[in-house]
Amino acid sequence: MNAVMDLVGVALVIIATLLIGVYGLKVSRTTGDFFVASRTVRPVWNASAISGEYLSAGTFLGLSGLVLLDGARGFWFPIGYAAGYLLVLVFVAAPLRRSGAYTIPDFIEARLESTAARRVTSLAVLIIGWLYIVPQLHGAGITLVVVAGLPEWVGAVTVAVLVAASVAAGGMRAITYVQAFQYWLKLTALLVPVVFIAFALSNGPHEFDPALVFPAEAGPSGFDAYESASLLLALLLGTMGLPHVLVRFYTSPTGASARRTTVIVIAMVSAFYAVSSTMGLLARIAAPDLAVPGVADTVVLLLPSRVFPGVFGELLTALIVAGAFAAFLATSAGLVVSLAGVISQDVFSGSVRSFRLSALLCALVPLAVALLTAPAGLVSSVGVVFVIAASTLSPVVLLGVWWRGLTARGAVAGMVSGGLAAGLALLVHAAIDGVGVAAPYLAQPAAWTIPLATAVTVVVSVLDPRSPSPRTDRFLARVHTPDRG
């Protein structure tokens, strides 16, 4: 590796991010620009931005490392990530846009006419968002440690400061331009090295035994049925509960535009997952010694120099480092802009000034957590967020769109029970280090926490003496009425 080249790559990404952000600042003037880009983002541009923020550190670095470690098991993650958008497309994309809300708490309050439900939703959004930002900051720290030997805190602080500044300066409209650019940078940063490495391995001296690259215990015959099903359920439904994903649909001009955006997103993220997974497979051939927990997340950064010693390998590594920083910045920015909208409206006045202050606060909290904690596996860290999102927000959002009988008390009970169950299960599993008969059910609790949250929501709503408001029918009619465009 060449530390100078790698740092130049990082610097170029930072400069490009700042320049695009400055352009976005020039066109961000109104409150609507800051919260939802005045609902004017067209499908291809919006899909690029959504893909840019969705493809996080866990995908850019962690997915290849997971495939290196676990072989075929690692493919559950890209399958679940991409397929989750199918559920978003079918069930919630267009209705959320037609609701006229700015944020998920906005939608819940408008649907249930309850301040208490809004506050619980806001708390869930903040917890999920902050938990998701922390792995991005850890990933930035890991990257600079590997490529330049810098202290781990440098990467985390750099990303947090840049994200806070860009979100505070231009809000959703500016971040949309930045994230769209960063998606194409990330795809290029992995695709180019993958193509060259694949050609080199196909014509080089790297003899390999398919039984070693794809061992039977890492294939379907080695899967635990419960853990695999529970993981896939968390990934499928968790997407529907991620605040930075759902807020993007409020930026579409119409409900139909939101649907088209989702279709394009599925194609874009699937293309990226194919490239990232291929990098992991290539690593099983050329760098099997890196298949060690804690080290595997660095394989994307180390593999080019393994295959191409010299300047060419260093150039490919610099390109990957630039793409990795784009991943940290894009996902963190999407999360901060969605959280800033929530805090600005729920705690402050909902003005542009309060949005900017909220953006700074939303970046500061996860930065403090990242500096005080040690990095875990990037994919597993992101997987925890999907479990919690699927167990708290997803059932309420889905029922809020499709079930007239949902009440505020039912929504609050469901979110609290699902969030507590998922959180306690994961904490207990970490405490006992996976020992015992209950370990699989604690390690992957989504298969029982999601039904629990849904059942509690439905039962409490049915037993609630307060029936849904008469305005519920008008609200549901509006979100389900097809629109043009």
Side-chain angles (χ1 to χ4, degrees), residues 57-58 62 66 69 135 138 142 293-295 297 374-384:
L66 188 66
L69 281 172
H138 279 159
I142 291 172
V295 178
D297 284 339
L378 295 179
V379 171
S380 60
S381 298
V382 172
V384 167

Side-chain angles (χ1 to χ4, degrees), residues 362-373:
C362 289
L364 182 61
V365 172
L367 174 60
V369 175
L371 294 177
L372 294 173
T373 58

